Amino acid sequence: MLTVDFSRFPLAPGDRVLDLGCGAGRHAFECYRRGARVVALDRNGEEIREVARWFAAMKEAGEAPAGATATAMEGDALALPFPDASFDVVIISEVMEHIPDDKGVLAEMVRVLKPGGRIAITVPRYGPEKVCWALSDAYHEVEGGHIRIYKADELLAKMRGAGLRPYGTHHAHALHSPYWWLKCAFGVDNDKALPVRAYHKLLVWDIMKKPLATRVAEQALNPLIGKSFVAYATKPHLPRLSEQSEAATQ
């Protein structure tokens, strides 16, 4: 289940991609299949080891084209172990809402992104997330849980403040919002509640089968109750030295 829409966020074979806070690796796997040179980084060592196993299995099965590479590694989003301008693409999906120093994370992502590079950021959407917080403290008051809810304008302003140029936004996963509302209403750890179990079966069926009816329904509902807000941006090229000199003399 991808949150980033690669039809709006083009990826070329050979692009060097950082999937920051990769979690279970869903976006890293898609980038690898598309021929990128992928680094999947997360602070959770157990998840990173599982991502590495999946990368190896994908290579063995021939799922990635020639020239594609994939590395999984532990790391700190606030102190990325890469030189400046190392990546053509950076993806950070459903991560920034967990991190107190979100401006620091943005600064690190911009630092390692090449001028002209592209970045995709996804966070829980303000409206559906507010409902979850209202229904359940346990949903977010856990170690490593959500510490903030972004409004779209707030996130875009922080991206601009970090030196990025946003060029597009959209919402995703509308069908997942009611599921999380049910989880919060019946207890986030209560998977036995009938409404929760029934809706979960629907989501699994939708993910596995991708029927036209639910695809159309989600597309129609995304602007209203999409669970995630997705923003795309570029890092501007630096002015050429000649342009800087001309500006200084004017």
Side-chain angles (χ1 to χ4, degrees):
M1 184 186 72
L2 299 174
T3 307
V4 172
D5 181 352
F6 286 93
S7 69
R8 311 182 195 215
F9 189 66
L11 192 68
D15 276 350
R16 190 150 192 248
V17 177
L18 172 63
D19 185 3
L20 181 56
C22 64
R26 57 200 173 103
H27 289 105
F29 300 149
E30 180 65 19
C31 293
Y32 188 32
R33 290 188 188 99
R34 290 171 177 261
R37 295 173 293 154
V38 183
V39 176
L41 184 144
D42 201 285
R43 65 184 297 180
N44 186 316
E46 184 177 339
E47 287 197 309
I48 281 298
R49 287 187 288 275
E50 184 64 18
V51 169
R53 284 192 286 270
W54 276 104
F55 278 151
M58 291 172 68
K59 182 178 180 180
E60 181 70 20
E63 289 189 37
T69 61
T71 303
M73 61 185 295
E74 289 185 60
D76 183 354
L78 290 166
L80 295 174
F82 310 112
D84 295 357
S86 296
F87 294 94
D88 303 290
V89 172
V90 175
I91 296 171
I92 184 167
S93 183
E94 311 300 302
V95 173
M96 287 180 58
E97 67 275 10
H98 297 272
I99 301 177
D101 186 8
D102 58 345
K103 289 185 178 179
V105 172
L106 274 168
E108 273 293 87
M109 290 191 292
V110 172
R111 179 184 69 78
V112 302
L113 187 64
K114 295 177 182 179
R118 304 172 304 287
I119 189 166
I121 299 176
T122 91
V123 296
R125 185 183 185 177
Y126 183 82
E129 187 76 348
K130 283 287 284 186
V131 174
C132 288
W133 282 44
L135 289 171
S136 171
D137 290 336
Y139 170 79
H140 64 96
E141 291 182 357
V142 295
E143 184 178 355
H146 299 184
I147 62 171
R148 70 173 66 82
I149 308 176
Y150 287 101
K151 290 184 177 180
D153 289 346
E154 175 194 3
L155 179 61
L156 292 171
K158 287 187 175 184
M159 292 170 69
R160 293 187 184 99
L164 295 168
R165 289 182 181 170
Y167 69 83
T169 65
H170 64 90
H171 300 100
H173 309 318
L175 295 182
H176 288 249
S177 289
Y179 173 71
W180 282 102
W181 296 339
L182 288 169
K183 288 271 287 181
C184 290
F186 286 93
V188 290
D189 296 320
N190 180 13
D191 293 326
K192 295 182 179 180
L194 180 59
V196 174
R197 286 192 290 116
Y199 203 98
H200 183 262
K201 287 182 179 179
L202 170 67
L203 291 179
V204 171
W205 173 74
D206 173 57
I207 291 170
M208 298 301 294
K209 301 297 185 181
K210 298 180 174 62
L212 178 61
T214 55
R215 296 301 86 215
V216 171
E218 184 158 78
Q219 190 171 24
L221 290 170
N222 274 336
L224 302 173
I225 59 169
K227 184 74 169 65
S228 295
F229 173 71
V230 188
Y232 306 109
T234 59
K235 178 179 177 178
H237 286 279
L238 295 174
R240 294 193 299 268
L241 289 176
S242 58
E243 293 174 346
Q244 292 177 326
S245 300
E246 290 175 6
T249 58
Q250 289 177 357

